[in-house]
Amino acid sequence: MISRNQLSRMLSKKVRQAFERYEAKTRPARVRSVLNDIRPEMCKRLQTAMDELALVNITVRQVSEESSAPACLLPFLLSYGRYVYGRWRRLKPGALTAELEITDRIWQQRGLEPLLLARVRERVLTALKRLRAPV
């Protein structure tokens, strides 16, 4: 059986080692170096995401105008379009389809028309596929 004194020393050693690892990992010079290395790629990914999001917003606005949807629905349609975009970025096509079917039901229960949701979804996905298509 381990005595209290031995247990205390073992725990304090583990705590001390964990603290030393944390301290080494968070040293300002190391953090600055890591951020400087990854910053160009982070900026490139951010620019791509912002371009895609702007495309989603423009597409949703176009669908809203074409279908003569009431202006009060625009924030909800934009939110739905952004949700579609977020799932498109994270899910594979099969899982995306299933997820969006469920999402459509949820948004229909919130009062949006199924045809309008389908138009927004299809136009957003088509625009995003065109944007990412190889040239």
Side-chain angles (χ1 to χ4, degrees), residues 51-134:
D51 291 344
E52 291 169 349
L53 192 55
L55 177 66
V56 167
N57 289 339
I58 290 168
T59 303
V60 170
R61 286 178 190 275
Q62 288 172 346
V63 170
S64 175
E65 289 172 6
E66 290 168 5
S67 59
S68 301
C72 62
L73 290 182
L74 184 59
F76 301 106
L77 293 174
L78 286 169
S79 179
Y80 174 74
R82 292 172 187 148
Y83 185 87
V84 169
Y85 167 65
R87 295 305 166 263
W88 176 78
R89 283 178 54 97
R90 290 175 184 80
L91 300 175
K92 293 181 180 177
L96 176 64
T97 303
E99 175 77 18
L100 292 180
E101 285 176 9
I102 295 167
T103 303
D104 282 357
R105 289 191 202 119
I106 292 169
W107 283 90
Q108 287 169 22
Q109 289 177 349
R110 293 178 181 171
L112 295 176
E113 297 175 19
L115 290 174
L116 185 56
L117 291 173
R119 272 191 225 126
V120 168
R121 181 185 63 242
E122 293 308 314
R123 292 275 298 275
V124 164
L125 292 175
T126 302
L128 290 169
K129 287 175 188 173
R130 257 192 248 131
L131 185 66
R132 287 234 182 138

